[in-house]
Amino acid sequence: MKFAESPVLAPPLPSWRARAVLVLLSGALVALGGRAFYLQGLNREFLQAKGESRYSRVLEIPALRGRILDRNGEALAISTPVKSIWAIPEDVALAAGDLEQLAAALELPRAEVRRRLGGTERDFVFLRRQVPPELADRVQALGVPGLYQSTEYRRYYPGGEATAHLLGFTSVDEKGQEGIELAYEKRLAGHPGTRRVIKDRRGQVVEDLEGARPAQHGQDVVLALDSRIQSIAFGQLKAAVARNRARAGGVVVLDAVTGELLAAANLPTYNPNNRSGLTGAALRNRALVDTFEPGSTLKPITVAAALEAHRVSPRTAIQTAPGTLAIGSATIRDVHRSGVLTVAEVLQKSSNVGAAKIALMLPPALMWEIFEGVGFGREPELGFPGEASGRLRPYKTWKPIEQATMSYGHGISVSLLQLARAYTIFARDGVLLPVSLEKRAAPPAGQPVVEPGTARAVRSMLELAVQPGGTGPRAQIMGYRVAGKTGTAHKQENGAYAADKYVSSFVGLAPASNPRLVVAVMIDEPSAGEHFGGTVAAPVFAAVMAGALRILGVPPDAPMRPIELPPSGADIPEESV
């Protein structure tokens, strides 16, 4: 190789390349410096949060849910501390045979425990929530690494089945799901607090930091309910449903002075403390959310409308012979032919023909106004989830046969609560009382519906209905004057009335001289041979009313002599259906 061709003597690289490299390096240095300034100066919180997330946690301090109390301070729903068992799956070390012992202590199938601990992609898993202390102690005694316990609260209902439908229940996280628990969720739940701590990788608290915010516990709710009266209502309803082999039933007890709901019992029911196997049929509060055709219990409302319009008086004669009334192609019938009856006797004997003739004396608008005025066709504004409004069609669509059948409770639907509330106009001299779930400090004003004289006249007629010669003598109570009305209605099925399925009811008030309570009873599909309200529902009314009056210390207003009730199978007047 010639000397002139040596690489050492080759021409140097172009100068622009060196400058370009210098510019690139300088730009990279500026970018790194800018990024460092942005992260450490302008976006410092981001890095700090990322760092703290590795060790710092904000724990929620649960708020203690408020209690639900009855009017006398008895606890109906309380929250009790319980343990929950949780684990960090990757830290759980089970020796041979430990899985079997752990599953037995947790009272879970071994396969289920293995499945829950098998999710290594998760760093937290509940094994059992809200367990009794003895179960938590058995698990802790095993000493399995990676298992931990935390304190939670579980809702407990001392009244069990008797108050289940009214109180409802909460979820596992103590959120209201049904009934009072749902209706008063905001007041009962409170607001959880927070606590900032430092945790190690095993989830154990190493240090408490500043800035804790205490929990605001939920408020107590004091209901109008009287647990003693509720117990009587539930017990009597349960016995009646069993005795009559009925499908379901309900009882409502209202304070006729304050409008407070003192009791609301339902069957079928469930145990809110153990809801395994709970079905929709058992869950419904039939007394408040279900509707039915009330039958003859609506006749007093029809008579009140006619008295208010001055179309009849209690002594006005109504010809009910021959026991039938043809309206177009339809025929209304009475069970027993009675001939001429006074308006008072129409209620006493529960004549459909008589009630229909009275209704047809009224303009549809006036009859609708009274029906709507006592609360039919609109929600009672109780504040209970799902409360029924019932069905009351606009009067402009009524045909004569529809107006006639509504007079005795067909073609209209109401809830048991609505029916009981409607009878407060007879207890309070024409004033409809608003109903309350909560205990009231003083009686409310109420809404006038009919004149006091009209209400008192109907109340006197209702006293006749429970005396010998009426349809409800089994509603009598020793020492008290009772006013009330029986009801029996065929059930609708597939768009027609079923021939052998009935709803039996009774609504009444006592003492009739100065009413203190209104009690409404409904028995759905009795199938033990009897189906009339005077036989099936009236005895339940008498037992519940008598017990409630004694509990409240209401003085008698009638002689304290034994009531002679007609024997079973006796020939007593039966309401027409």
Side-chain angles (χ1 to χ4, degrees):
M1 180 178 66
K2 296 181 179 180
F3 177 76
E5 296 176 350
S6 172
V8 178
L9 300 176
L13 295 172
S15 59
W16 64 267
R17 295 182 65 178
R19 288 194 293 272
V21 171
L22 179 62
V23 170
L24 290 174
L25 291 175
S26 299
L29 182 62
V30 171
L32 290 173
R35 179 63 175 168
F37 175 74
Y38 171 75
L39 292 175
Q40 299 183 43
L42 300 180
N43 200 27
R44 182 179 180 182
E45 292 80 5
F46 172 77
L47 288 179
Q48 191 168 2
K50 287 295 183 183
E52 289 180 353
S53 67
R54 302 300 191 270
Y55 62 87
S56 178
R57 298 285 188 277
V58 176
L59 302 181
E60 183 179 278
I61 303 175
L64 181 62
R65 191 173 180 85
R67 300 174 300 168
I68 301 176
L69 309 173
D70 84 339
R71 64 185 304 103
N72 301 309
E74 292 292 328
L76 301 174
I78 56 176
S79 293
T80 57
V82 290
K83 294 291 186 179
S84 289
I85 313 298
W86 58 278
I88 301 175
E90 65 179 9
D91 291 347
V92 176
L94 293 174
D98 286 348
L99 180 62
E100 187 73 32
Q101 295 181 12
L102 178 59
L106 290 170
E107 297 179 358
L108 289 173
R110 183 172 56 180
E112 178 64 16
V113 176
R114 184 186 293 111
R115 184 188 67 80
R116 296 186 185 187
L117 293 176
T120 55
E121 71 281 357
R122 294 180 294 174
D123 58 2
F124 175 92
V125 62
F126 274 116
L127 294 180
R128 282 286 304 273
R129 295 191 69 177
Q130 299 185 353
V131 299
E134 57 272 16
L135 189 149
D137 292 342
R138 290 201 303 269
V139 173
Q140 188 174 20
L142 296 177
V144 178
L147 292 187
Y148 305 96
Q149 297 183 11
S150 59
T151 300
E152 293 184 319
Y153 292 96
R154 184 177 186 272
R155 207 64 165 164
Y156 176 64
Y157 304 93
E161 296 180 340
T163 56
H165 292 101
L166 191 63
L167 300 182
F169 54 85
T170 61
S171 67
V172 70
D173 295 312
E174 283 220 312
K175 303 295 183 184
Q177 302 294 297
E178 293 284 345
I180 297 294
E181 295 280 24
L182 177 59
Y184 292 87
E185 171 65 19
K186 290 184 179 179
R187 284 172 53 182
L188 290 167
H191 300 282
T194 56
R195 170 190 174 202
R196 182 176 291 276
V197 299
I198 295 177
K199 282 189 172 184
D200 62 14
R201 66 178 296 272
R202 297 180 180 274
Q204 297 175 326
V205 175
V206 175
E207 181 182 353
D208 275 288
L209 302 178
E210 296 180 358
R213 178 169 59 86
Q216 298 179 13
H217 298 311
Q219 304 174 34
D220 292 344
V221 172
V222 181
L223 298 182
L225 188 85
D226 190 313
S227 57
R228 300 167 299 175
I229 299 177
Q230 177 74 16
S231 178
I232 291 174
F234 180 76
Q236 292 296 328
L237 178 65
K238 188 174 183 179
V241 168
R243 181 170 61 249
N244 293 284
R245 296 202 299 271
R247 178 171 175 265
V251 175
V252 167
V253 181
L254 293 182
D255 190 313
V257 177
T258 65
E260 295 170 309
L261 181 64
L262 299 181
N266 289 273
L267 280 174
T269 187
Y270 64 94
N271 183 359
N273 300 307
N274 180 12
R275 298 190 296 275
S276 58
L278 179 62
T279 63
L283 186 62
R284 293 204 317 273
N285 188 331
R286 297 170 186 269
L288 275 61
V289 306
D290 278 11
T291 61
F292 63 100
E293 290 192 344
S296 296
T297 55
L298 234 62
K299 288 174 182 172
I301 310 296
T302 301
V303 170
L307 292 174
E308 192 73 2
H310 304 291
R311 300 300 173 92
V312 298
S313 74
R315 292 183 296 276
T316 299
I318 306 292
Q319 177 59 265
T320 65
T324 61
L325 176 63
I327 302 177
S329 60
T331 301
I332 295 172
R333 291 181 170 83
D334 283 340
V335 172
H336 300 289
R337 298 180 181 182
S338 301
V340 177
L341 298 175
T342 65
V343 170
E345 289 172 332
V346 167
L347 282 187
Q348 183 186 28
K349 307 294 184 182
S350 199
S351 168
N352 285 353
V353 172
K357 286 189 172 183
I358 292 172
L360 293 174
M361 296 179 187
L362 301 172
L366 189 148
M367 184 171 165
W368 179 90
E369 183 180 346
I370 297 295
F371 278 24
E372 197 272 342
V374 298
F376 298 152
R378 53 191 171 96
E379 292 182 1
E381 298 180 355
L382 188 64
F384 192 86
E387 58 184 329
S389 60
R391 182 172 180 263
L392 174 64
R393 292 180 295 105
Y395 66 88
K396 292 182 179 180
T397 67
W398 291 3
K399 298 176 182 178
I401 184 61
E402 293 170 330
Q403 182 174 353
T405 57
M406 274 191 283
S407 72
Y408 55 86
H410 283 70
I412 180 174
S413 66
V414 301
S415 71
L416 193 61
L417 175 68
Q418 286 179 307
L419 191 57
R421 184 194 181 202
Y423 270 59
T424 62
I425 68 169
F426 306 128
R428 302 289 1 124
D429 290 345
V431 175
L432 182 74
L433 292 179
V435 183
S436 175
L437 285 170
E438 292 188 75
K439 184 178 180 180
R440 282 177 168 152
Q447 179 65 41
V449 178
V450 297
E451 292 296 325
T454 298
R456 287 193 289 267
V458 175
R459 192 163 76 220
S460 296
M461 297 183 216
L462 292 177
E463 280 197 76
L464 292 176
V466 301
Q467 297 298 320
T471 59
R474 290 187 175 89
Q476 297 177 83
I477 302 171
M478 184 174 68
Y480 294 95
R481 291 166 52 192
V482 173
K485 185 70 188 74
T486 58
T488 309
H490 286 283
K491 291 191 67 174
Q492 284 200 17
E493 193 173 72
N494 301 322
Y497 287 104
D500 57 351
K501 292 183 179 180
Y502 302 89
V503 175
S504 306
S505 57
F506 188 94
V507 189
L509 43 95
S513 60
N514 185 20
R516 175 62 193 280
L517 297 176
V518 175
V519 175
V521 179
M522 181 273 295
I523 306 295
D524 186 15
E525 292 188 24
S527 61
E530 299 283 356
H531 63 268
F532 287 106
T535 305
V536 174
V540 182
F541 164 89
V544 173
M545 179 67 84
L549 291 173
R550 286 195 298 269
I551 286 172
L552 298 176
V554 178
D557 65 341
M560 294 294 293
R561 56 171 176 257
I563 299 295
E564 292 187 9
L565 298 178
S568 179
D571 184 20
I572 61 173
E574 297 166 341
E575 70 270 13
S576 301
V577 293

